[in-house]
Amino acid sequence: MKYLLYAVLSCLYLQSAMAQQHTLKGQVRSASDSIPFPNATISLLHAPDSLVIRQTVTYSDGTFELEEVEDGEYVLRVQYLGYENTEQPLEINDDINIGTLYLREGSRFLDEITITRRPPVGKQRGDTTEFNAAAFQTMKDASAQNLIEKMPGMASEDGNLQAQGENIAQILVDGKPFFGTDVKAALQNLPAEIIQSIQVFDKLSDEAEASGFDDGERLKTINIVTKPNSRKGLFGKSSAGYGDSERYMAGASVNAFNEGQRLTITGLTNNINAVDFSADANSQGEVRPQNGIINTNRIGLNYTDNWGEKIAINASYLFNHRKNFGESSLFREYVLPDSDGQRYTESSTNIRRNAAHRFNMRFEYQIDSNNRILFRPNFSAQNDKENSFFTGNTLADPGPINQTENRRLADNSDIDFNSRLLYTRRFAKRGRSMRLGLVTGNHKNDDDADRQAENVFFDPAERVENISQQIVRTRKGFDWQANAAYTEPLGKHGMVELEYQIGTRKDDSDQLTYDTDDWGNRVRLDTVLSNTFDSKYLTQEAELGYQYSLDRLRIQVEAEFQHAQLKNDQAFPVPFALQRTFRAVMPSVRLDYKITDAKNLEFDYDARTNAPSVGDLQAVIDNSNPLHLRTGNPNLDQSYSNRFNLRYRSYNPKTERSFFAMVRSTVTSNNVVTNTTIAEAPIELAEGIVLERGSQLTRPVNLDGYWDLRSFFHYGLPIRFLPTNFNLHGGISYTHRPGMINDQINAVNTTRYNGGISLSSNISDRIDFNIWTRSSYNTVQNSLRPTLDNNFFNQTTRINFNWILWQNLIYRLDVNHQLNTGLSEGYDNSIFLANMSIGKKLLRNERAEVSLNVYDLFGQNNNIRRDITETYIQDSQSNVLQRYVMLSFTYNIRYFGKGTTMEDYENMYN
């Protein structure tokens, strides 16, 4: 495989100079007097999803030229502030000169008064929502994330940026990947002032984009379209600060853009819990406080370029080193049918050191207008060192049942290498295509741990057990999947697809547990806690699909037939083999209906299977917590899920009001759930392994009956008289989650009612605020023990305020308040986190700032969490960073090269 890859890449380089892409030329003039129009923005959009492919501005004579344009259907858009947009659909298969396009005025003069249309907020084009950055006022030093969070449907939830209720999975910049799937690194490295527009859409897989058949593999994506005058230059931000208690922070982000060639370098070091990049001491970080006290050192690079006319490359690398000192406590109440009221409490401390490398690359070679090769390798490696200690206690109404003190030293490493190779060919007949794909993965995991524990069992008679062990776990995995697909037009509006794929996943997992003496030397192998296990999962799938497309309607129906074999082999301590065969039919239906240019309706249904993991299959006892043992189950079946999704989007360009609604549901049979046995009397699991009263053993099993239903809506509009942007969102979620406890089925029914509002300023770049509040009311019902039914309420409110005062003094305030009710005793604490700074803008164009920052002004930072499973309800709390004061200096780097006029440059600051 390695030599084949080298040969393929060598051929790519030899052929890269032999082919050409197309050039699009034209001229823009004023419709009123036919005068050439300079500096108008020219955008070439991909017709199916309105994604911006190329962009430029017109020269002084109104002419423009777009190079490296591939065959396809596009929309050419011409924009200029104060003029109506001009659009023209195009089908490009050769060099083309479209002639002259005309712009008409969008404002009207009445005597001495000019009535000019304010920048439009955005527009809806099919499944793509586009926002105009000029319609949202931010501070001059704002980041891309500050800008995006002001836009309708955007929000941060538990530290993740969401759009339309779904987590953003990746960021593109001018249609190119930026830092892979690290959304935070991408958004925090780009200043808001270079952004022209934001596009939000569901990006299809590379295979689906090549064939035109939606395979259901979608990523919620943001494409950042930069201003043409910001695509050649050096820009970024650097910052450093030092405070009391030896708190420090230093970071820098530098972007070097030269049109299509782009390099970004970032670096960060700190001990103030900033785990993701932000070269800004005034950044308040996550709304949810980080667990523990964290030291972070981080460096990242992103590179994008075109090598010749046929090769496009994008690569990113991230290195992260963290040290975390954590303290936590938890309270867990079990769902048992009896009335003993069994509970578990735990207190723990841990020190973890983690070093991680991550590399992603996208290598695209356009052999000619009909043939393309895409290669996407990614690599990750990490090492985690752990020094932890915890005490656990199990109690019931009569009194204590057991307790443990457990110390662990561990050294864990993981290495993963994955690659995707895709070849696509389009034939002369429109709609006829072929693709070949190969996906591979190599995975290795090595864990080495030393553990000492003292366990006390109080019933029926007090007994003390001491454990001293060394656990060595080695896991190796290799998987591959090859596929071939062919599409053929059927009639004027139809197309059929045939696809076949075959793949194998092979996992080897060995766990060896040794008893050790007081000096850590191995004494003997504990065969009961040791195991060598292999698992092989072979799948073959054949698929037939039909798609019918009109201008406003597209319907797609597919049926996939799967034949799968799961083979499990255990060699030690007792030989064991099990092989099973699964057959499944997985249908899918997709409907896209463009009601109008600004309204879109989508419906998706598909069925999926999911094979159990090697960790769930391997039947070896894990006694990391002697009170909570765990083992696997080699008899697990693959699960089968039906997924439904209905979405509606609309945007009114006259009122600038946007609306989005979504309903989603999943129904799963043979779902892998937890079967928990809580011993009411001692149970001998194996020779020398006894599950004492009150202790528990968890084991995965298959169980039918899981289903969930989630709804979400968002409504946004500008408020003229403030001026601000107002957003309202809400939804209802319901989950029916069955599980087993002491061989009885317990169904946990969870209902969540949530809603929120936000108000963000749109006043000027001198004053900026963003206010939002979100509330959720949760109900929990248990079929086995209704006395544990519980209702609880959470509300999170945030106020972010920035104001440049007299003489360039700047005041910043960031307030977070979390209200929790209905939690366990001692966990109902509310959180009030206030951060404040006062600073002064310095140097020309206010590029620099010196500021005094106070974090957690009132010393009330906290971190509380509730988790609900089919077995228990748990409340947990952890230590967090608290009050400190820091003096910092920040400098904004802005240098733009030739191609940007002084007027363009000044417009970015005035």
Side-chain angles (χ1 to χ4, degrees), residues 795-828:
Q795 184 183 49
T796 303
T797 302
R798 183 176 185 182
I799 301 173
N800 183 271
F801 178 76
N802 302 276
W803 188 14
I804 298 180
L805 306 165
W806 174 76
Q807 293 293 316
N808 283 338
L809 291 175
I810 182 167
Y811 174 75
R812 303 180 191 268
L813 176 67
D814 190 82
V815 176
N816 292 286
H817 179 263
Q818 294 185 24
L819 174 65
N820 305 298
T821 64
L823 305 186
S824 305
E825 183 178 353
Y827 289 86
D828 277 344

mmCIF file of all heavy atoms in Angstrom, residues 795-828:
data_model
loop_
_atom_site.group_PDB
_atom_site.id
_atom_site.type_symbol
_atom_site.label_atom_id
_atom_site.label_comp_id
_atom_site.label_asym_id
_atom_site.label_seq_id
_atom_site.Cartn_x
_atom_site.Cartn_y
_atom_site.Cartn_z
ATOM 1 N N GLN A 795 -30.827 27.320 34.397
ATOM 2 C CA GLN A 795 -30.863 28.556 33.613
ATOM 3 C C GLN A 795 -29.464 29.145 33.551
ATOM 4 O O GLN A 795 -28.764 29.229 34.565
ATOM 5 C CB GLN A 795 -31.818 29.578 34.224
ATOM 6 C CG GLN A 795 -31.942 30.848 33.369
ATOM 7 C CD GLN A 795 -32.837 31.886 34.001
ATOM 8 O OE1 GLN A 795 -32.682 32.210 35.177
ATOM 9 N NE2 GLN A 795 -33.788 32.418 33.234
ATOM 10 N N THR A 796 -29.059 29.517 32.353
ATOM 11 C CA THR A 796 -27.757 30.140 32.136
ATOM 12 C C THR A 796 -27.969 31.487 31.466
ATOM 13 O O THR A 796 -28.673 31.588 30.461
ATOM 14 C CB THR A 796 -26.861 29.263 31.248
ATOM 15 O OG1 THR A 796 -26.712 27.976 31.849
ATOM 16 C CG2 THR A 796 -25.491 29.891 31.066
ATOM 17 N N THR A 797 -27.352 32.513 32.036
ATOM 18 C CA THR A 797 -27.472 33.869 31.501
ATOM 19 C C THR A 797 -26.074 34.451 31.338
ATOM 20 O O THR A 797 -25.209 34.271 32.202
ATOM 21 C CB THR A 797 -28.292 34.775 32.442
ATOM 22 O OG1 THR A 797 -29.583 34.189 32.627
ATOM 23 C CG2 THR A 797 -28.444 36.169 31.860
ATOM 24 N N ARG A 798 -25.869 35.147 30.208
ATOM 25 C CA ARG A 798 -24.567 35.771 29.983
ATOM 26 C C ARG A 798 -24.755 37.188 29.455
ATOM 27 O O ARG A 798 -25.614 37.429 28.608
ATOM 28 C CB ARG A 798 -23.732 34.970 28.985
ATOM 29 C CG ARG A 798 -22.326 35.558 28.791
ATOM 30 C CD ARG A 798 -21.467 34.714 27.889
ATOM 31 N NE ARG A 798 -20.105 35.227 27.819
ATOM 32 C CZ ARG A 798 -19.148 34.703 27.073
ATOM 33 N NH1 ARG A 798 -19.392 33.644 26.322
ATOM 34 N NH2 ARG A 798 -17.925 35.225 27.062
ATOM 35 N N ILE A 799 -23.935 38.076 29.985
ATOM 36 C CA ILE A 799 -23.892 39.464 29.514
ATOM 37 C C ILE A 799 -22.450 39.789 29.151
ATOM 38 O O ILE A 799 -21.556 39.685 29.990
ATOM 39 C CB ILE A 799 -24.386 40.451 30.589
ATOM 40 C CG1 ILE A 799 -25.828 40.114 30.995
ATOM 41 C CG2 ILE A 799 -24.295 41.890 30.088
ATOM 42 C CD1 ILE A 799 -26.321 40.947 32.167
ATOM 43 N N ASN A 800 -22.234 40.137 27.900
ATOM 44 C CA ASN A 800 -20.908 40.546 27.448
ATOM 45 C C ASN A 800 -21.009 41.986 26.947
ATOM 46 O O ASN A 800 -21.790 42.270 26.042
ATOM 47 C CB ASN A 800 -20.417 39.612 26.333
ATOM 48 C CG ASN A 800 -19.020 39.940 25.887
ATOM 49 O OD1 ASN A 800 -18.838 40.758 24.996
ATOM 50 N ND2 ASN A 800 -18.038 39.308 26.488
ATOM 51 N N PHE A 801 -20.205 42.863 27.547
ATOM 52 C CA PHE A 801 -20.333 44.297 27.265
ATOM 53 C C PHE A 801 -18.948 44.897 27.060
ATOM 54 O O PHE A 801 -18.024 44.668 27.855
ATOM 55 C CB PHE A 801 -21.030 44.994 28.440
ATOM 56 C CG PHE A 801 -21.179 46.487 28.275
ATOM 57 C CD1 PHE A 801 -22.141 47.016 27.423
ATOM 58 C CD2 PHE A 801 -20.357 47.358 28.967
ATOM 59 C CE1 PHE A 801 -22.273 48.389 27.270
ATOM 60 C CE2 PHE A 801 -20.482 48.730 28.821
ATOM 61 C CZ PHE A 801 -21.450 49.243 27.966
ATOM 62 N N ASN A 802 -18.769 45.664 25.963
ATOM 63 C CA ASN A 802 -17.509 46.335 25.653
ATOM 64 C C ASN A 802 -17.818 47.775 25.249
ATOM 65 O O ASN A 802 -18.703 48.006 24.408
ATOM 66 C CB ASN A 802 -16.780 45.635 24.507
ATOM 67 C CG ASN A 802 -16.499 44.175 24.802
ATOM 68 O OD1 ASN A 802 -15.515 43.834 25.446
ATOM 69 N ND2 ASN A 802 -17.376 43.293 24.337
ATOM 70 N N TRP A 803 -17.074 48.709 25.803
ATOM 71 C CA TRP A 803 -17.356 50.122 25.559
ATOM 72 C C TRP A 803 -16.046 50.905 25.527
ATOM 73 O O TRP A 803 -15.277 50.886 26.490
ATOM 74 C CB TRP A 803 -18.271 50.673 26.650
ATOM 75 C CG TRP A 803 -18.767 52.078 26.390
ATOM 76 C CD1 TRP A 803 -18.712 52.774 25.238
ATOM 77 C CD2 TRP A 803 -19.391 52.930 27.354
ATOM 78 N NE1 TRP A 803 -19.268 54.008 25.390
ATOM 79 C CE2 TRP A 803 -19.701 54.138 26.688
ATOM 80 C CE3 TRP A 803 -19.726 52.784 28.704
ATOM 81 C CZ2 TRP A 803 -20.308 55.215 27.332
ATOM 82 C CZ3 TRP A 803 -20.349 53.841 29.352
ATOM 83 C CH2 TRP A 803 -20.645 55.047 28.662
ATOM 84 N N ILE A 804 -15.778 51.565 24.391
ATOM 85 C CA ILE A 804 -14.618 52.451 24.292
ATOM 86 C C ILE A 804 -15.059 53.838 24.756
ATOM 87 O O ILE A 804 -15.893 54.493 24.122
ATOM 88 C CB ILE A 804 -14.068 52.497 22.859
ATOM 89 C CG1 ILE A 804 -13.582 51.098 22.435
ATOM 90 C CG2 ILE A 804 -12.922 53.500 22.750
ATOM 91 C CD1 ILE A 804 -13.020 51.037 21.031
ATOM 92 N N LEU A 805 -14.479 54.270 25.865
ATOM 93 C CA LEU A 805 -14.876 55.527 26.503
ATOM 94 C C LEU A 805 -14.017 56.678 25.991
ATOM 95 O O LEU A 805 -13.373 56.603 24.951
ATOM 96 C CB LEU A 805 -14.758 55.379 28.029
ATOM 97 C CG LEU A 805 -15.507 54.200 28.656
ATOM 98 C CD1 LEU A 805 -15.012 53.956 30.063
ATOM 99 C CD2 LEU A 805 -16.994 54.476 28.666
ATOM 100 N N TRP A 806 -13.984 57.718 26.757
ATOM 101 C CA TRP A 806 -13.197 58.915 26.480
ATOM 102 C C TRP A 806 -11.709 58.579 26.421
ATOM 103 O O TRP A 806 -11.201 57.771 27.162
ATOM 104 C CB TRP A 806 -13.494 59.936 27.588
ATOM 105 C CG TRP A 806 -12.677 61.184 27.546
ATOM 106 C CD1 TRP A 806 -12.803 62.238 26.712
ATOM 107 C CD2 TRP A 806 -11.579 61.493 28.418
ATOM 108 N NE1 TRP A 806 -11.873 63.186 26.984
ATOM 109 C CE2 TRP A 806 -11.101 62.759 28.046
ATOM 110 C CE3 TRP A 806 -10.958 60.822 29.480
ATOM 111 C CZ2 TRP A 806 -10.048 63.381 28.698
ATOM 112 C CZ3 TRP A 806 -9.905 61.441 30.124
ATOM 113 C CH2 TRP A 806 -9.461 62.704 29.717
ATOM 114 N N GLN A 807 -11.014 59.225 25.470
ATOM 115 C CA GLN A 807 -9.563 59.081 25.316
ATOM 116 C C GLN A 807 -9.138 57.623 25.101
ATOM 117 O O GLN A 807 -8.113 57.166 25.618
ATOM 118 C CB GLN A 807 -8.836 59.654 26.542
ATOM 119 C CG GLN A 807 -8.956 61.152 26.696
ATOM 120 C CD GLN A 807 -8.228 61.922 25.580
ATOM 121 O OE1 GLN A 807 -7.108 61.578 25.212
ATOM 122 N NE2 GLN A 807 -8.907 62.927 25.035
ATOM 123 N N ASN A 808 -9.948 56.883 24.352
ATOM 124 C CA ASN A 808 -9.637 55.500 23.986
ATOM 125 C C ASN A 808 -9.516 54.555 25.181
ATOM 126 O O ASN A 808 -8.893 53.493 25.085
ATOM 127 C CB ASN A 808 -8.348 55.434 23.158
ATOM 128 C CG ASN A 808 -8.577 55.873 21.725
ATOM 129 O OD1 ASN A 808 -9.705 55.840 21.235
ATOM 130 N ND2 ASN A 808 -7.516 56.298 21.061
ATOM 131 N N LEU A 809 -10.117 54.940 26.303
ATOM 132 C CA LEU A 809 -10.233 53.995 27.412
ATOM 133 C C LEU A 809 -11.319 52.977 27.071
ATOM 134 O O LEU A 809 -12.372 53.316 26.535
ATOM 135 C CB LEU A 809 -10.595 54.721 28.707
ATOM 136 C CG LEU A 809 -9.527 55.633 29.302
ATOM 137 C CD1 LEU A 809 -10.076 56.380 30.513
ATOM 138 C CD2 LEU A 809 -8.294 54.826 29.705
ATOM 139 N N ILE A 810 -11.074 51.707 27.380
ATOM 140 C CA ILE A 810 -12.033 50.659 27.048
ATOM 141 C C ILE A 810 -12.392 49.873 28.305
ATOM 142 O O ILE A 810 -11.522 49.500 29.105
ATOM 143 C CB ILE A 810 -11.491 49.724 25.947
ATOM 144 C CG1 ILE A 810 -12.541 48.666 25.601
ATOM 145 C CG2 ILE A 810 -10.159 49.087 26.332
ATOM 146 C CD1 ILE A 810 -12.262 47.886 24.345
ATOM 147 N N TYR A 811 -13.673 49.662 28.470
ATOM 148 C CA TYR A 811 -14.200 48.912 29.612
ATOM 149 C C TYR A 811 -14.857 47.640 29.088
ATOM 150 O O TYR A 811 -15.647 47.678 28.146
ATOM 151 C CB TYR A 811 -15.224 49.757 30.378
ATOM 152 C CG TYR A 811 -15.931 49.016 31.491
ATOM 153 C CD1 TYR A 811 -15.285 48.742 32.683
ATOM 154 C CD2 TYR A 811 -17.249 48.589 31.329
ATOM 155 C CE1 TYR A 811 -15.939 48.049 33.697
ATOM 156 C CE2 TYR A 811 -17.905 47.904 32.337
ATOM 157 C CZ TYR A 811 -17.247 47.632 33.526
ATOM 158 O OH TYR A 811 -17.881 46.958 34.524
ATOM 159 N N ARG A 812 -14.518 46.511 29.692
ATOM 160 C CA ARG A 812 -15.091 45.228 29.294
ATOM 161 C C ARG A 812 -15.689 44.533 30.516
ATOM 162 O O ARG A 812 -15.094 44.528 31.597
ATOM 163 C CB ARG A 812 -14.029 44.311 28.668
ATOM 164 C CG ARG A 812 -13.308 44.891 27.461
ATOM 165 C CD ARG A 812 -12.279 43.904 26.940
ATOM 166 N NE ARG A 812 -11.389 44.484 25.966
ATOM 167 C CZ ARG A 812 -11.590 44.471 24.656
ATOM 168 N NH1 ARG A 812 -12.681 43.912 24.178
ATOM 169 N NH2 ARG A 812 -10.717 45.019 23.837
ATOM 170 N N LEU A 813 -16.855 43.942 30.326
ATOM 171 C CA LEU A 813 -17.532 43.204 31.392
ATOM 172 C C LEU A 813 -18.116 41.930 30.805
ATOM 173 O O LEU A 813 -18.775 41.966 29.766
ATOM 174 C CB LEU A 813 -18.645 44.052 32.014
ATOM 175 C CG LEU A 813 -19.505 43.354 33.081
ATOM 176 C CD1 LEU A 813 -18.661 43.059 34.327
ATOM 177 C CD2 LEU A 813 -20.721 44.203 33.434
ATOM 178 N N ASP A 814 -17.860 40.816 31.472
ATOM 179 C CA ASP A 814 -18.420 39.540 31.045
ATOM 180 C C ASP A 814 -18.984 38.846 32.287
ATOM 181 O O ASP A 814 -18.244 38.521 33.222
ATOM 182 C CB ASP A 814 -17.348 38.670 30.391
ATOM 183 C CG ASP A 814 -17.947 37.451 29.723
ATOM 184 O OD1 ASP A 814 -18.431 37.587 28.592
ATOM 185 O OD2 ASP A 814 -17.943 36.366 30.338
ATOM 186 N N VAL A 815 -20.298 38.648 32.316
ATOM 187 C CA VAL A 815 -20.985 38.067 33.468
ATOM 188 C C VAL A 815 -21.675 36.783 33.040
ATOM 189 O O VAL A 815 -22.409 36.758 32.049
ATOM 190 C CB VAL A 815 -22.011 39.051 34.063
ATOM 191 C CG1 VAL A 815 -22.790 38.379 35.192
ATOM 192 C CG2 VAL A 815 -21.326 40.298 34.566
ATOM 193 N N ASN A 816 -21.432 35.719 33.781
ATOM 194 C CA ASN A 816 -22.120 34.443 33.569
ATOM 195 C C ASN A 816 -22.825 34.043 34.853
ATOM 196 O O ASN A 816 -22.215 34.042 35.934
ATOM 197 C CB ASN A 816 -21.118 33.336 33.204
ATOM 198 C CG ASN A 816 -20.492 33.554 31.858
ATOM 199 O OD1 ASN A 816 -21.126 33.361 30.848
ATOM 200 N ND2 ASN A 816 -19.238 33.991 31.848
ATOM 201 N N HIS A 817 -24.093 33.711 34.745
ATOM 202 C CA HIS A 817 -24.858 33.255 35.912
ATOM 203 C C HIS A 817 -25.545 31.946 35.566
ATOM 204 O O HIS A 817 -26.200 31.830 34.526
ATOM 205 C CB HIS A 817 -25.900 34.301 36.314
ATOM 206 C CG HIS A 817 -26.730 33.864 37.499
ATOM 207 N ND1 HIS A 817 -27.958 33.285 37.366
ATOM 208 C CD2 HIS A 817 -26.468 33.910 38.831
ATOM 209 C CE1 HIS A 817 -28.448 33.003 38.579
ATOM 210 N NE2 HIS A 817 -27.560 33.368 39.474
ATOM 211 N N GLN A 818 -25.384 30.939 36.435
ATOM 212 C CA GLN A 818 -26.044 29.653 36.257
ATOM 213 C C GLN A 818 -26.876 29.346 37.492
ATOM 214 O O GLN A 818 -26.377 29.370 38.619
ATOM 215 C CB GLN A 818 -25.026 28.530 36.022
ATOM 216 C CG GLN A 818 -24.268 28.654 34.715
ATOM 217 C CD GLN A 818 -23.359 27.480 34.467
ATOM 218 O OE1 GLN A 818 -23.574 26.397 34.982
ATOM 219 N NE2 GLN A 818 -22.319 27.689 33.667
ATOM 220 N N LEU A 819 -28.143 29.053 37.271
ATOM 221 C CA LEU A 819 -29.071 28.712 38.341
ATOM 222 C C LEU A 819 -29.444 27.247 38.213
ATOM 223 O O LEU A 819 -29.890 26.797 37.155
ATOM 224 C CB LEU A 819 -30.326 29.587 38.249
ATOM 225 C CG LEU A 819 -31.464 29.257 39.222
ATOM 226 C CD1 LEU A 819 -31.010 29.524 40.660
ATOM 227 C CD2 LEU A 819 -32.710 30.052 38.891
ATOM 228 N N ASN A 820 -29.242 26.482 39.290
ATOM 229 C CA ASN A 820 -29.564 25.058 39.313
ATOM 230 C C ASN A 820 -30.517 24.778 40.470
ATOM 231 O O ASN A 820 -30.228 25.140 41.610
ATOM 232 C CB ASN A 820 -28.302 24.205 39.493
ATOM 233 C CG ASN A 820 -27.250 24.495 38.445
ATOM 234 O OD1 ASN A 820 -27.475 24.296 37.260
ATOM 235 N ND2 ASN A 820 -26.098 24.988 38.868
ATOM 236 N N THR A 821 -31.631 24.143 40.192
ATOM 237 C CA THR A 821 -32.551 23.735 41.250
ATOM 238 C C THR A 821 -32.953 22.286 41.015
ATOM 239 O O THR A 821 -32.935 21.786 39.891
ATOM 240 C CB THR A 821 -33.821 24.604 41.273
ATOM 241 O OG1 THR A 821 -34.548 24.402 40.054
ATOM 242 C CG2 THR A 821 -33.471 26.075 41.411
ATOM 243 N N GLY A 822 -33.294 21.601 42.114
ATOM 244 C CA GLY A 822 -33.753 20.226 42.017
ATOM 245 C C GLY A 822 -32.656 19.202 42.039
ATOM 246 O O GLY A 822 -32.914 18.013 41.853
ATOM 247 N N LEU A 823 -31.393 19.621 42.258
ATOM 248 C CA LEU A 823 -30.290 18.671 42.320
ATOM 249 C C LEU A 823 -30.180 18.091 43.728
ATOM 250 O O LEU A 823 -30.936 18.432 44.629
ATOM 251 C CB LEU A 823 -28.989 19.347 41.910
ATOM 252 C CG LEU A 823 -28.973 20.040 40.543
ATOM 253 C CD1 LEU A 823 -27.576 20.538 40.223
ATOM 254 C CD2 LEU A 823 -29.475 19.116 39.448
ATOM 255 N N SER A 824 -29.214 17.193 43.928
ATOM 256 C CA SER A 824 -29.023 16.563 45.227
ATOM 257 C C SER A 824 -28.574 17.585 46.253
ATOM 258 O O SER A 824 -28.058 18.664 45.923
ATOM 259 C CB SER A 824 -27.984 15.438 45.109
ATOM 260 O OG SER A 824 -28.354 14.514 44.113
ATOM 261 N N GLU A 825 -28.744 17.230 47.509
ATOM 262 C CA GLU A 825 -28.377 18.142 48.590
ATOM 263 C C GLU A 825 -26.893 18.494 48.498
ATOM 264 O O GLU A 825 -26.041 17.628 48.351
ATOM 265 C CB GLU A 825 -28.677 17.491 49.942
ATOM 266 C CG GLU A 825 -28.400 18.402 51.133
ATOM 267 C CD GLU A 825 -28.748 17.740 52.451
ATOM 268 O OE1 GLU A 825 -29.327 16.632 52.432
ATOM 269 O OE2 GLU A 825 -28.425 18.333 53.493
ATOM 270 N N GLY A 826 -26.613 19.776 48.570
ATOM 271 C CA GLY A 826 -25.236 20.244 48.453
ATOM 272 C C GLY A 826 -24.807 20.542 47.043
ATOM 273 O O GLY A 826 -23.711 21.041 46.814
ATOM 274 N N TYR A 827 -25.675 20.256 46.049
ATOM 275 C CA TYR A 827 -25.343 20.488 44.645
ATOM 276 C C TYR A 827 -26.263 21.510 43.989
ATOM 277 O O TYR A 827 -26.252 21.665 42.788
ATOM 278 C CB TYR A 827 -25.408 19.174 43.857
ATOM 279 C CG TYR A 827 -24.281 18.226 44.179
ATOM 280 C CD1 TYR A 827 -24.388 17.347 45.253
ATOM 281 C CD2 TYR A 827 -23.111 18.214 43.440
ATOM 282 C CE1 TYR A 827 -23.353 16.467 45.563
ATOM 283 C CE2 TYR A 827 -22.077 17.345 43.731
ATOM 284 C CZ TYR A 827 -22.205 16.468 44.796
ATOM 285 O OH TYR A 827 -21.186 15.608 45.097
ATOM 286 N N ASP A 828 -27.061 22.210 44.799
ATOM 287 C CA ASP A 828 -27.976 23.202 44.241
ATOM 288 C C ASP A 828 -27.331 24.571 44.101
ATOM 289 O O ASP A 828 -28.008 25.568 43.879
ATOM 290 C CB ASP A 828 -29.223 23.329 45.136
ATOM 291 C CG ASP A 828 -30.240 22.248 44.817
ATOM 292 O OD1 ASP A 828 -30.112 21.635 43.763
ATOM 293 O OD2 ASP A 828 -31.134 22.020 45.643
#
